[in-house]
């Protein structure tokens, strides 16, 4: 085979590819690799069958276009012959008179327009010699270049079984060169993409689609060109070659006689299956007549969407008509004349098989796409491979990606959506918390300003009230002064709490036993018998560096609130534990809970749900400020709706462990 090595027969237009894997599924050579979300053709593996071009609904696969090269050839000084494939009547059904088509081809500038069907006549003769010889080892027909490439790449051991006969295209090239001179250039025109890489003996290959495009670009229209016949030598039954069992029909061999030793297989599924069975010995005594397409009349270079049986009928009609018209004796003379041409063709193996991964590697890949057990192998084919195992092999060979597995991808997407929902929720919570702490920070600034301004005059009031109290002898006035001192002290405490909230007080860290702190805080609050208390620590050593006094105030505030939230009865639990980088102290009650609309106000200064006079609304604000001064966090969870579960509130104080060093 005088091949044109590594021609990039088919390429992908990345922008059009929607990565549907249809081409992967349809490629008999598994020559399409999915990489970075693109279905890329591996040219060294491609056999040019054109299946991917035909099946891609997005027109993302295009084949090599040689129109420019042909135009350049036609402009040269050299004579050029067009070698028209015998499937042309099926393609140009829109022509009332096919002689017009031949005239149009001549108008493009071709010196000769010849029928490849005559080459098919010669090839069929050689094939007859092989199959008539009972002692001849079984052969695989070599007229379809895609089949030949497939054997050479993927069944190199079978290369010696390929019939050593040139294809009709190459045979016809040799014929016309003999007839019209060795300088003659040839352009094959047909339905096939693979032909473009078949042989260096042919100068260019155009598909019928390219020919139509050339007519258009060169302004050549049907009806304007002089109708014409093919140049000699004219074909005989070789005209029937492109239909199913074309070779046998060309040889006029009744199928029933030969059914026993010739097996015909056509199409991307059947021909590889026949080759595999031939190789494993199941049908090794039978000659194989193989075509990659469902007959050349369905080739990828034909105009898409043609109807198979209508095309077949057109070829049948054309052949019948021509067989009546043509001079059989002249045909025989031509066959005799050109039978002397050497139609031998040799083929070399060109192994493109990939190493099969080990069973353990395959299992590992399968596990990575969620196929742990046999029942996980859905073998749905959505990935483009016919089984999960074949997909795993392709992944291991670098041909495929895990994301091609639809069930795996769907599951992964579900997981991502869940995670996304979760992180959205978390984000919303964080945003809410941020807004809240910004609000509290502003209030803290305001409180600090007010407290600072009040602190000094208040100090003066208290000092002078105390001096006057010391000096005054009048009992009535002393009582009034005492009231001033008491209320001014109260104001002083409020100011102190405001400063705590505004984090303007000093924190004096000292090593504190949290368990003892919890018990002491509980002891400092009057807890009615109806409330059960429980303290537990999950720390081995519940020691912590904190401002003992301030944290006592924090716990006391929370315990008091908890007790007030359980007017009937309930349970109060103080728990100390470690959680990541925090020591967590939680104060949990089974009380009435906090209404959802109040949840983001609980730390706001002067916010209270208690009756007027029963609370300043500074308890939780102070608590918040103290925890912040410890660089910690305070979180609250609460449920006030019994239909949603047990009611109650839990405050979690998170103190960073890093403070502890
Ligand atoms: S058939 Fe292939 S090239 Fe076409 S869109 Fe699908 S994956 Fe892309
Ligand atoms: S032309 Fe055929 S062998 Fe090449 S990539 Fe397309 S389907 Fe595969």
């Amino acid at each position: 085979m005088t091949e044109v090595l590594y021609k990039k027969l088919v390429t992908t237009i990345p922008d059009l590819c929607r990565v549907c894997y249809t081409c992967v599924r349809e490629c008999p050579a598994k020559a399409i690799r999915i990489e970075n979300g693109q279905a890329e053709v591996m040219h060294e593996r491609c056999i040019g069958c054109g299946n991917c071009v035909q099946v891609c609904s997005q027109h993302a696969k295009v084949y090599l276009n040689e129109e420019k090269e042909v135009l350049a050839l036609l402009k040269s000084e050299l004579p050029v012959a067009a070698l028209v494939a015998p499937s042309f009547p099926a393609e140009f059904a829109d022509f009332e008179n096919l002689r017009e088509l031949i005239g149009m081809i001549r108008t493009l500038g071709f010196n000769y327009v010849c029928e490849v069907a005559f080459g098919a006549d010669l090839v069929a003769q050689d094939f007859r010699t092989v199959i008539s010889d009972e002692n001849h080892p079984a052969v695989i027909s070599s007229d379809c270049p895609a089949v030949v490439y497939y054997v050479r790449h993927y069944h190199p051991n079978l290369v010696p079984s390929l019939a050593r006969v040139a294809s009709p295209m190459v045979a016809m090239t040799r014929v016309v060169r003999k007839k019209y001179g060795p300088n003659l250039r040839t352009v094959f025109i047909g339905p096939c993409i693979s032909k473009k890489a078949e042989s260096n003996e042919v100068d260019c290959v155009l598909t019928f689609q390219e020919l139509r495009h050339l007519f258009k670009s060169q302004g050549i229209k049907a009806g304007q060109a002089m109708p014409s016949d093919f140049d000699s030598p004219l074909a005989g039954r070789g005209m029937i070659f492109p239909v199913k069992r074309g070779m046998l029909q060309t040889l006029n061999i009744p199928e029933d006689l030969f059914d026993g030793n010739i097996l015909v297989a056509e199409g991307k599924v059947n021909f590889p299956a026949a080759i595999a069975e031939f190789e494993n010995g199941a049908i090794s005594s039978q000659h194989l007549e193989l075509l990659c397409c469902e007959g050349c009349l369905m080739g990828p270079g034909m105009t898409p969407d043609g109807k198979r049986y209508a095309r077949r009928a057109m070829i049948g009609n054309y052949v019948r008509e021509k067989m009546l018209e043509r001079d059989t004796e002249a045909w025989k003379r031509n066959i005799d004349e050109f039978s002397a041409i050497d139609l031998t063709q040799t083929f070399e193996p060109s192994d493109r098989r990939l190493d099969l991964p080990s069973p353990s590697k395959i299992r590992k890949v399968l596990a990575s796409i969620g196929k742990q057990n046999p029942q996980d192998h859905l073998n749905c084919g959505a990935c483009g491979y016919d089984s999960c195992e074949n997909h795993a092999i392709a992944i291991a060979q670098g041909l495929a990606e895990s994301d091609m597995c639809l069930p795996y991808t769907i599951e992964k997407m579900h997981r991502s959506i869940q995670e996304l929902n979760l992180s959205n929720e978390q984000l919303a919570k964080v945003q809410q918390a941020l807004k809240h702490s910004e609000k509290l920070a502003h209030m803290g600034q305001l409180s600090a300003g007010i407290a600072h301004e009040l602190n000094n005059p208040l100090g003066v009031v208290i000092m002078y009230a105390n001096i006057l109290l010391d000096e005054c002898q009048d009992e009535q006035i002393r009582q009034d002064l005492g009231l001033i001192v008491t209320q001014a002290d109260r104001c002083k405490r409020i100011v102190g709490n405001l400063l705590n909230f505004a984090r303007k007080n000093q924190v004096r860290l000292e090593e504190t036993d949290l368990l003892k702190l919890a018990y002491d805080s509980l002891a400092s609050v009057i807890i009615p018998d109806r409330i059960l208390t429980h303290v537990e620590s999950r720390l081995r050593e519940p020691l912590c560096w904190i401002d003992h006094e301030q944290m006592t105030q924090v716990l006391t505030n929370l315990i008091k609130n908890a007790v007030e939230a359980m007017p009937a009865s309930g349970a109060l639990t103080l728990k100390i534990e470690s959680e990541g980088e925090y020591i967590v102290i939680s104060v949990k009650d089974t009380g009435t809970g906090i209404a959802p609309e109040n949840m983001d106000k609980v730390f706001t200064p002067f916010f209270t749900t208690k009756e007027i006079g029963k609370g300043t609304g500074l308890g939780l604000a102070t608590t918040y400020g103290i925890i912040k001064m410890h660089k910690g966090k305070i979180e609250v969870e609460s449920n006030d709706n019994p239909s949603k579960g047990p009611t109650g509130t839990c405050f979690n104080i998170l103190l960073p462990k890093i403070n502890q060093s």
Side-chain angles (χ1 to χ4, degrees), residues 467-653:
I467 292 171
L468 286 173
L469 192 61
D470 284 348
E471 290 175 356
C472 181
Q473 304 300 326
D474 184 315
E475 194 47 37
Q476 182 57 46
I477 295 174
R478 277 182 63 79
Q479 273 181 17
D480 293 345
L481 285 170
L483 202 60
I484 291 172
V485 169
T486 309
Q487 292 307 316
D489 275 343
R490 183 164 170 254
C491 290
K492 181 90 178 154
R493 275 200 306 281
I494 291 174
V495 167
N497 281 337
L498 274 178
L499 285 172
N500 265 339
F501 167 69
R503 305 172 221 171
K504 294 292 177 200
N505 279 337
Q506 295 290 320
V507 176
R508 286 182 206 87
L509 297 180
E510 56 186 301
E511 196 175 35
T512 306
D513 182 333
L514 292 178
L515 198 57
K516 185 168 181 313
L517 181 86
Y519 279 118
D520 288 350
S521 304
L522 266 179
S524 69
V525 179
I526 299 166
I527 298 179
D529 292 346
R530 61 176 196 275
I531 294 173
L532 298 174
T533 58
H534 174 68
V535 180
E536 71 174 81
S537 166
R538 293 188 181 168
L539 299 184
R540 244 181 313 154
E541 280 197 346
L543 296 176
C544 190
W545 283 83
I546 51 173
D547 184 312
H548 183 281
E549 197 181 318
Q550 289 182 359
M551 285 306 285
T552 305
Q553 190 183 353
V554 163
L555 289 186
T556 309
N557 280 342
L558 295 178
I559 292 166
K560 274 186 190 163
N561 283 351
V563 170
E564 282 166 20
M566 296 183 284
S569 61
L572 171 63
T573 308
L574 272 74
K575 199 163 28 170
I576 303 156
E577 59 195 326
S578 168
E579 200 180 288
E581 63 224 44
Y582 292 101
I583 290 170
V584 182
I585 308 169
S586 55
V587 179
K588 186 176 178 191
D589 66 56
T590 56
T592 47
I594 303 168
E597 64 273 19
N598 291 335
M599 284 292 280
D600 62 349
K601 296 184 208 142
V602 288
F603 298 116
T604 308
F606 304 112
F607 173 78
T608 179
T609 54
K610 294 173 191 163
E611 289 168 37
I612 295 171
K614 289 224 165 157
T616 56
L618 276 174
L620 285 178
T622 307
T623 298
Y624 177 87
I626 292 172
I627 301 301
K628 286 287 167 190
M629 283 190 286
H630 282 76
K631 298 190 172 51
K633 295 194 268 187
I634 180 161
E635 295 167 351
V636 56
E637 297 159 15
S638 188
N639 175 33
D640 73 331
N641 184 350
S643 68
K644 289 186 181 167
T647 59
T649 302
C650 180
F651 283 92
N652 291 313
I653 298 163

Side-chain angles (χ1 to χ4, degrees), residues 2 58 72 95 113 117 174 258 316 324 356 370 392 416 445 537:
T2 44
Q58 304 304 306
F95 281 66
V113 184
R174 293 178 190 174
F258 282 86
L324 288 175
L356 202 64
S416 306
Q445 270 179 347
S537 166

Side-chain angles (χ1 to χ4, degrees), residues 10 23 26-29 31-32 41 45-53:
V10 176
C23 56
E26 296 294 320
C27 176
I32 297 175
V41 176
R45 291 180 62 79
C46 175
I47 60 169
C49 68
N51 280 327
C52 56
V53 178

Side-chain angles (χ1 to χ4, degrees), residues 332-363:
K332 278 186 189 157
R333 280 197 300 279
N334 279 331
I335 289 288
D336 287 344
E337 180 186 346
F338 293 105
S339 289
I341 290 179
D342 181 9
L343 293 186
T344 310
Q345 188 72 61
T346 54
F347 304 99
E348 294 297 327
S350 119
D351 197 348
R352 301 280 193 270
R353 289 172 298 178
L354 298 170
D355 289 340
L356 202 64
S358 67
S360 68
K361 174 78 185 166
I362 297 172
R363 274 197 303 277

Side-chain angles (χ1 to χ4, degrees), residues 12 90 184 256 344 374 410 568:
T12 308
L184 184 72
D256 50 347
T344 310
I410 290 174

Side-chain angles (χ1 to χ4, degrees), residues 24 77 148 201 217 236 286 295 317 324 332 354 433 469 532 629:
V24 175
E77 300 293 311
V148 171
E201 290 184 54
S217 68
Q286 286 175 305
N317 293 341
L324 288 175
K332 278 186 189 157
L354 298 170
L469 192 61
L532 298 174
M629 283 190 286

